Amino acid sequence: MCRNIFLKNISNTFTTFQTFTTFVPHDYYQLLGVSKSASADEVKAAFRKLAHQYHPDKPGGNAEKFKEINAAYQVLGDAEKRQKYDQFGSAAFENGGNGGSPFGGYDFSGFQQGGGVDLGEMFGDMFGFGGNRQRRGADVRVDAELSFKDAAFGVERAFTLTRTLSCERCGGTGGEPGGKMKTCDECAGKGVKVHMQRTILGNIQTKSACGPCHGDGEIPEKKCTTCSSTGLDRAQKTLTVEIPAGVEDGATLRVRGEGEATRGGQPGDLHIRIHVEPDRRFEREGDTLFSQEKIGFTQAALGAKIDAQTLDGTVELTIPPGTQGGTQFRLRGKGIGGRRGRGDQIVTVEVVTPTKLSKEQRKLLEELDLKE
């Protein structure tokens, strides 16, 4: 009886608390651009189209938008989760939701003896003091300037970065090599510290990573002389990255695990922003190159062999008799490189009309009296 009254009071208090906190529910159907009656195949097709459009590795990609549509598909693409979503909405899956609570998916049933409530996990994602989230180092971003040709064929580039790395001397343990580890006295080997806070919801018990042991539960008997037991070291490192053929201006390449290191977690990633210098001779559309070559009136009328500019140098191009201005010729395999090989190059010929003629040349043309 008393417990039910207490639960009711907590629920009422939390409802009041919600008026001061902004919860923005997501319409997963709207995010994917499908109706509520859409079939599983329609949901899957819509997700694939949006994922291709917003993937952060693609030019014009949007990491936040990609994350949202991925979360939507994880729910609507699963029959059981979709049924729960239709019943409870996005609150059943966001912020650690349990799929059935009217309070945004939070469960108020886990009360501790002694008057405290263990809400460390319940509010961990909301306020940032959850103790179970995997630690991850910061990402590193650099720029790479490429020539048009290097972008077309691919190239290796070396980047010298000063960043936080795992200490080489201690291997990230924080202790002298060969030394022993001991249980952390601060957290008794648990790796977390428990805090009791008095709030409008009553006494709330929260957990946070132990500072002295960095959440490991043990500390070295002798500190590493290089990193002073942090397990990390600031150092310079040269990294060689293979930039693939066909990369476009504005694209971002991601090299996993080459960002900032962190103690007891995964390192961040290296993001390389590509800047491609234009080439006045060529225009690019995907893996196809476009170029122009000028020919004279006589060459167009009688036919000729000319030198056409390509990324590989000049190649001989045969102009048949009677070629008109604007005629296009395809040079296969002379375009941009990629996973499936090289694309083609389209050469458009422009017939140049002479602006200065000698008297003899003018007389000959008049005698020919060429007409359409």
Side-chain angles (χ1 to χ4, degrees):
M1 178 70 176
C2 294
R3 187 176 187 274
N4 291 335
I5 294 175
F6 181 63
L7 281 171
K8 182 177 181 181
N9 290 336
I10 286 290
S11 300
N12 291 337
T13 304
F14 184 71
T15 302
T16 303
F17 175 71
Q18 280 185 307
T19 63
F20 297 97
T21 309
T22 302
F23 292 92
V24 183
H26 287 89
D27 187 334
Y28 289 157
Y29 290 103
Q30 185 177 5
L31 281 172
L32 295 182
V34 297
S35 65
K36 292 186 177 181
S37 60
S39 66
D41 289 339
E42 289 174 331
V43 170
K44 186 176 183 179
F47 167 71
R48 286 183 173 179
K49 179 180 179 181
L50 293 172
H52 179 77
Q53 178 180 354
Y54 292 108
H55 196 284
D57 288 345
K58 290 185 172 293
N62 187 316
E64 288 300 320
K65 188 69 175 179
F66 180 80
K67 182 179 178 181
E68 289 179 358
I69 63 175
N70 184 57
Y73 180 67
Q74 293 302 318
V75 174
L76 299 186
D78 183 284
E80 184 177 348
K81 290 181 180 180
R82 183 174 179 178
Q83 183 179 4
K84 288 184 178 181
Y85 173 76
D86 290 338
Q87 183 177 2
F88 299 109
S90 61
F93 301 95
E94 296 173 355
N95 298 318
N98 61 13
S101 170
F103 302 106
Y106 295 118
D107 184 3
F108 284 87
S109 62
F111 294 101
Q112 304 285 321
Q113 293 184 356
V117 182
D118 186 357
L119 301 182
E121 294 183 3
M122 182 173 117
F123 290 108
D125 290 338
M126 187 185 303
F127 297 116
F129 51 71
N132 296 326
R133 181 177 295 178
Q134 175 67 43
R135 283 173 286 182
R136 185 176 180 275
D139 291 341
V140 175
R141 291 172 173 80
V142 296
D143 293 283
E145 302 285 344
L146 300 184
S147 68
F148 194 90
K149 187 174 182 178
D150 284 343
F153 293 152
V155 67
E156 283 190 350
R157 278 294 173 85
F159 299 90
T160 300
L161 309 173
T162 301
R163 55 194 170 138
T164 301
L165 303 173
S166 180
C167 179
E168 291 186 2
R169 179 175 176 81
C170 67
T173 65
E176 276 291 289
K180 295 181 179 180
M181 305 293 287
K182 63 179 182 179
T183 302
C184 177
D185 294 332
E186 190 75 17
C187 64
K190 296 179 179 180
V192 296
K193 295 185 67 175
V194 178
H195 308 273
M196 189 69 70
Q197 297 179 342
R198 190 175 186 85
T199 71
I200 59 174
L201 298 178
N203 293 332
I204 296 180
Q205 179 177 295
T206 62
K207 297 177 181 178
S208 63
C210 177
C213 68
H214 304 281
D216 295 333
E218 55 182 11
I219 58 177
E221 291 183 346
K222 294 183 179 181
K223 294 183 178 181
C224 174
T225 56
T226 299
C227 66
S228 299
S229 193
T230 63
L232 304 172
D233 187 26
R234 194 77 176 170
Q236 190 177 82
K237 179 181 178 181
T238 298
L239 180 70
T240 300
V241 178
E242 182 177 347
I243 298 177
V247 66
E248 297 191 56
D249 181 59
T252 299
L253 305 180
R254 179 171 59 181
V255 184
R256 296 186 182 276
E258 292 296 344
E260 301 276 2
T262 186
R263 175 76 176 268
Q266 296 295 323
D269 298 333
L270 172 64
H271 296 263
I272 305 173
R273 181 77 170 180
I274 302 297
H275 304 277
V276 180
E277 296 179 7
D279 190 319
R280 293 181 301 175
R281 301 172 300 169
F282 307 107
E283 290 186 8
R284 175 183 177 180
E285 289 185 11
D287 62 356
T288 303
L289 280 184
F290 293 87
S291 64
Q292 287 188 335
E293 295 292 343
K294 295 181 179 181
I295 61 174
F297 177 79
T298 303
Q299 290 173 307
L302 303 179
K305 292 184 182 294
I306 65 171
D307 289 333
Q309 296 289 325
T310 72
L311 289 174
D312 303 291
T314 58
V315 298
E316 188 176 76
L317 178 63
T318 300
I319 306 296
T323 295
Q324 302 297 308
T327 301
Q328 293 183 333
F329 298 89
R330 183 181 295 272
L331 301 178
R332 298 195 178 276
K334 294 298 182 181
I336 301 295
R339 295 180 179 177
R340 299 181 180 179
R342 292 182 63 180
D344 298 335
Q345 179 177 336
I346 306 298
V347 181
T348 303
V349 295
E350 177 186 350
V351 179
V352 180
T353 302
T355 57
K356 295 182 180 181
L357 296 173
S358 66
K359 290 182 180 181
E360 183 179 354
Q361 290 172 331
R362 184 179 183 88
K363 183 178 179 180
L364 289 173
L365 286 176
E366 288 175 347
E367 291 176 355
L368 289 173
D369 192 23
L370 297 175
K371 296 181 180 179
E372 183 180 355

